[in-house]
């Protein structure tokens, strides 16, 4: 009776299955572009509101006398 140790070996002759690297950052440029556009828009709106408040306060204290 011959022992068959081929099935219990740690190493196999078949090469290990290789997984192709995934592209985790495939859509990252879209997120960056969207963040820049949304950030710039929000900054513009906040800046415009700030300027309107500043002008309202500064013009409210001015009195223009028409002769």
């Amino acid at each position: 009776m011959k022992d068959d140790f081929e099935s219990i070996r740690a190493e196999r002759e078949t090469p290990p299955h290789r997984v192709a690297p995934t592209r985790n950052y495939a859509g990252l440029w879209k997120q960056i572009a969207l963040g820049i556009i949304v950030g710039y828009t929000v900054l513009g709106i906040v800046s415009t509101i700030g300027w309107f408040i500043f002008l309202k306060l500064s013009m409210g204290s001015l009195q223009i006398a028409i002769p």
Side-chain angles (χ1 to χ4, degrees):
M1 182 167 159
K2 183 176 177 177
D3 293 330
D4 184 19
F5 293 106
E6 209 42 54
S7 61
I8 60 170
R9 283 182 31 196
E11 302 89 19
R12 301 272 182 225
E13 281 80 15
T14 58
H17 178 67
R18 294 188 182 194
V19 179
T22 59
R23 296 179 54 193
N24 293 336
Y25 304 110
L28 185 61
W29 70 270
K30 295 176 189 174
Q31 294 177 0
I32 292 172
L34 185 65
I36 290 171
I37 292 169
V38 170
Y40 186 75
T41 303
V42 169
L43 218 66
I45 292 170
V46 169
S47 175
T48 303
I49 292 171
W51 275 110
F52 277 128
I53 291 172
F54 173 74
L55 288 174
K56 182 82 170 169
L57 291 175
S58 65
M59 296 299 274
S61 62
L62 292 178
Q63 293 180 357
I64 300 173
I66 300 174

